[in-house]
Amino acid sequence: MNVLNQSTRRQFLKKILHLSALGAGSGTLLASVWGCGDRHFKELPKPDGSFVGILPFVGEGDVPLETVTGEGLRGRRFIDLTTLSSDALTTPTERFYVRTRYPDRLDSPQPWKISINGLVENPCEILLKDVLPNATDQGIVVMECAGNDRWSRFGLISAARWQGISLRDVLSRVKPLSAATTIRVVGYDDHSQPDPLSWPGASWVFTPKELHDAGAFLATGMNGAPLSRDHGAPIRLVVPGWYGCVSIKWVKEIVFADDEEPATNQMKEFAGRTLQAGMPDLAREYYSALVDPAAVPVRIEKWRADEATAYRIVGIAWGGTQPVKALSIRIGEERAFVPVQHFLPWPLHGWNLWSHMWYPTTSGTYTFRLRIVTSNRAATRKLDSGHYDRTVMVTTG
Ligand SMILES: Nc1nc2c(c(=O)[nH]1)N[C@H]1C(S)=C(S)[C@@H](COP(=O)(O)O)O[C@H]1N2
Ligand SMILES: [Mo]
């Protein structure tokens, strides 16, 4: 029998408390706010003992990880979140998740331009070559597909450092008419292979305020290199803090419209996953597709020290627009939530790792659920619905 011995347990706890006291970050010692830059653990505090292996999550999809599959609208790449570490929180471009691959009918000999039209005094065309020299660093932004779930092993989320030009700057070149209260951003989506599960014609309707508040930008670069084809080359929209489905790739047109603007197919397709009330017909009836604060375990590590076994739960947290006040975890449905032992607030639009030691004493199936309280008590709808629950089976002794 591998019953955890008390002194080992005390050792683990001592180590944890020691690290907290050093300011490595603890759920109860937080007084941090946004704006302190990309503050991350240099390294998550390591448990004592030796690493044994990773406990697999059960009850999840078997999508292939870290490999590009399918073409066009069906094209996917799922990232393997178990590999995340404190020093690798920015996703290399070739590993960044993909949802829809480069449209095969897109290759055009014409220089790329974006048409800005609709309810404006002076419709115009913006040439990519005029935008490129003005591209600046837009910071690290986490992107999450609204369809990121257990079936996809939560592999549809990544973080990159983007380069581009603020949408506000681009749009300042036109004079909108007074009736222009909405903006439709339209992407190229001409695939020779249709997907019965997805409607082509990616476009999303925003209000100018939504785009402004989010700091939306047209990205031309990712992690210091020009955008790759599957990620929207040569130019895509990025709306920080919103689900990925609004971040239109291969942008070709921006249309100013009025209050009666219909919802796009894309908005309707993603209505459920962006937490809309039903599937409204008018764009103005849609809520901002903001990502609520959320957290999910990414790997469960097994450690051994002095004949005893311990587990380290490592996870990520992201989303929301206000600083986090408390992050807690529930292990097994009958238990209470307890503060996560090690975490730092994640930067606005970024993500961060957290970790929590766990000493199960009985064999069984355990489900992890996180809970987040922010300073503005933001809703955490997907989190609280169990969307990000993950389950493992543990055998003790
Ligand atoms: N033109 C176009 N843009 C698109 C899509 C698309 O199908 N076509 N998919 C959207 C969705 S659902 C997501 S999650 C993101 C994914 O961006 P990525 O593939 O660069 O990760 O692109 C968005 N932009
Ligand atoms: Mo998505």
Side-chain angles (χ1 to χ4, degrees), residues 72-77 96-101 103 106 143-148 156-158 162 186-191 198-204 222 227-232 236-237 243-251 266 269-270 273:
L73 284 165
R74 283 188 203 228
R76 295 285 185 279
R77 187 180 208 288
F96 198 100
Y97 86 87
V98 173
R99 195 283 185 191
T100 305
R101 296 189 60 200
L106 180 44
M143 192 177 289
E144 184 191 15
C145 180
N148 192 31
L156 296 175
I157 183 168
S158 300
W162 301 90
V186 185
Y188 195 96
D189 237 350
D190 198 1
H191 306 268
S198 188
W199 292 325
S203 54
W204 203 276
M222 194 175 175
L227 275 190
S228 72
R229 286 159 63 98
D230 287 346
H231 293 301
R236 77 174 299 169
L237 179 67
Y243 284 113
C245 49
V246 312
S247 286
I248 302 301
K249 301 195 270 194
W250 314 293
V251 170
Q266 176 102 341
E269 178 178 345
F270 285 94
R273 286 168 273 176

Side-chain angles (χ1 to χ4, degrees), residues 80-390:
D80 180 0
L81 285 180
T82 55
T83 62
L84 283 188
S85 66
S86 319
D87 56 4
L89 278 173
T90 310
T91 313
T93 303
E94 66 279 6
R95 290 189 57 203
F96 198 100
Y97 86 87
V98 173
R99 195 283 185 191
T100 305
R101 296 189 60 200
Y102 192 77
D104 56 353
R105 292 197 177 141
L106 180 44
D107 280 314
S108 111
Q110 316 296 339
W112 194 275
K113 52 181 190 263
I114 298 176
S115 156
I116 308 185
N117 59 61
L119 301 178
V120 294
E121 278 175 26
N122 56 333
C124 69
E125 281 183 338
I126 300 216
L127 294 175
L128 177 69
K129 71 171 171 51
D130 296 335
V131 172
L132 283 174
N134 299 322
T136 55
D137 179 41
Q138 302 290 331
I140 292 176
V141 176
V142 167
M143 192 177 289
E144 184 191 15
C145 180
N148 192 31
D149 59 11
R150 255 192 303 285
W151 180 85
S152 48
R153 298 164 78 179
F154 298 104
L156 296 175
I157 183 168
S158 300
R161 181 175 280 285
W162 301 90
Q163 294 77 45
I165 175 168
S166 116
L167 193 61
R168 204 151 86 120
D169 288 355
V170 173
L171 297 181
S172 68
R173 302 184 197 187
V174 293
K175 292 197 194 69
L177 303 177
S178 60
T181 51
T182 58
I183 295 173
R184 177 160 44 96
V185 179
V186 185
Y188 195 96
D189 237 350
D190 198 1
H191 306 268
S192 57
Q193 297 291 311
D195 177 359
L197 302 173
S198 188
W199 292 325
S203 54
W204 203 276
V205 181
F206 307 87
T207 65
K209 184 177 180 338
E210 284 175 330
L211 291 168
H212 176 89
D213 288 354
F217 56 90
L218 289 172
T220 52
M222 194 175 175
N223 295 327
L227 275 190
S228 72
R229 286 159 63 98
D230 287 346
H231 293 301
I235 191 162
R236 77 174 299 169
L237 179 67
V238 174
V239 185
W242 290 49
Y243 284 113
C245 49
V246 312
S247 286
I248 302 301
K249 301 195 270 194
W250 314 293
V251 170
K252 61 173 180 186
E253 194 181 10
I254 299 176
V255 185
F256 283 77
D258 64 17
D259 237 18
E260 299 299 314
E261 182 68 5
T264 65
N265 283 348
Q266 176 102 341
M267 293 169 81
K268 289 184 168 176
E269 178 178 345
F270 285 94
R273 286 168 273 176
T274 59
L275 307 173
Q276 306 299 329
M279 199 189 282
D281 287 322
L282 292 179
R284 67 160 190 256
E285 297 168 312
Y286 280 69
Y287 300 113
S288 307
L290 285 159
V291 179
D292 288 346
V296 68
V298 297
R299 66 174 175 271
I300 312 301
E301 303 166 353
K302 188 172 181 178
W303 291 78
R304 275 188 79 75
D306 300 343
E307 308 288 291
T309 301
Y311 294 85
R312 179 166 80 157
I313 307 163
V314 177
I316 48 171
W318 71 98
T321 57
Q322 297 294 319
V324 57
K325 280 181 71 179
L327 177 67
S328 38
I329 187 167
R330 186 183 70 186
I331 304 174
E333 272 136 57
E334 258 116 76
R335 304 293 195 79
F337 282 90
V338 296
V340 166
Q341 286 154 354
H342 298 284
F343 83 100
L344 286 175
W346 47 102
L348 180 63
H349 303 147
W351 60 7
N352 224 338
L353 287 169
W354 50 264
S355 72
H356 190 84
M357 293 303 296
W358 175 43
Y359 313 90
T361 50
T362 43
S363 298
T365 302
Y366 294 86
T367 294
F368 309 106
R369 163 90 52 99
L370 279 294
R371 194 167 67 185
I372 296 174
V373 179
T374 59
S375 57
N376 64 339
R377 309 238 151 222
T380 47
R381 294 164 291 179
K382 282 198 185 184
L383 188 62
D384 299 342
S385 74
H387 182 90
Y388 294 104
D389 284 6
R390 299 189 91 170

